[in-house]
Amino acid sequence: MVPTPHATLAPLLARHAGRAHELLPLLHALQDSEGYVDPAHVPGIAAALNLSRAEVHGVITFYHHFRSAPPPPTVVQVCRAEACRSRDGEALVAHVEAATGAHIDGEPCQGIGVESVYCLGQCALSPAVTINGELHARVSPARFDALLAAAREEVAHD
Ligand code: FES
């Protein structure tokens, strides 16, 4: 069962109360739990950590990692950092966009969102992607198609 936002948020606020320097861990934990950081939580987070709403909002919007809306059912992240670029990573980006119909870092298409990431720690095995959080290295266009099909199948059966 997916926890309600307040069921998740309350213990996090209690754990990090008064510790402004723990904003990032709180935001990571919230997103890990709920899939995104609901903007409605900003006032409560700010009050609990003795920060302004603008400060909390600024951190959420500064880091590309944080979502302010629920993610689509399938999320593809394609590494665009140097090692992956040097091994046809941008050609893989073009293939992923063509295969999904979604523009990278744009709106999802048919339940698939495609996002840029900058290094997944698999530089020696580039290019690398994640699909719904699962890491894959040495991804060719053909392998991507197979991985995406498997991930979509899994989503359909959840
Ligand atoms: S540069 Fe792509 S995994 Fe490191």
Side-chain angles (χ1 to χ4, degrees):
M1 180 176 125
V2 177
T4 64
H6 292 295
T8 301
L9 184 60
L12 285 174
L13 293 182
R15 186 178 318 140
H16 299 284
R19 299 181 181 140
H21 64 282
E22 294 182 7
L23 175 59
L24 279 174
L26 185 156
L27 294 175
H28 279 287
L30 188 57
Q31 180 157 300
D32 288 349
S33 171
E34 299 184 7
Y36 71 111
V37 179
D38 189 332
H41 293 333
V42 169
I45 294 169
L49 274 64
N50 295 326
L51 292 166
S52 71
R53 294 178 187 189
E55 287 171 312
V56 175
H57 175 77
V59 168
I60 293 169
T61 54
F62 177 80
Y63 290 103
H64 182 75
H65 171 76
F66 294 119
R67 303 174 191 283
S68 57
T74 301
V75 176
V76 175
Q77 295 182 315
V78 186
C79 180
R80 305 184 80 184
E82 257 182 63
C84 287
R85 278 181 180 265
S86 73
R87 300 187 73 173
D88 291 331
E90 289 306 294
L92 183 61
V93 168
H95 176 80
V96 169
E97 289 181 320
T100 62
H103 291 290
I104 197 156
D105 300 321
E107 291 298 313
C109 180
Q110 296 182 34
I112 305 174
V114 180
E115 302 174 349
S116 300
V117 289
Y118 293 89
C119 198
L120 291 165
Q122 300 295 311
C123 308
L125 303 172
S126 58
V129 306
T130 69
I131 301 177
N132 289 340
E134 193 169 321
L135 179 60
H136 306 281
R138 287 194 175 131
V139 178
S140 65
R143 182 153 180 255
F144 174 79
D145 291 345
L147 292 168
L148 181 63
R152 297 282 283 172
E153 187 77 19
E154 199 171 297
V155 166
H157 288 96
D158 280 348

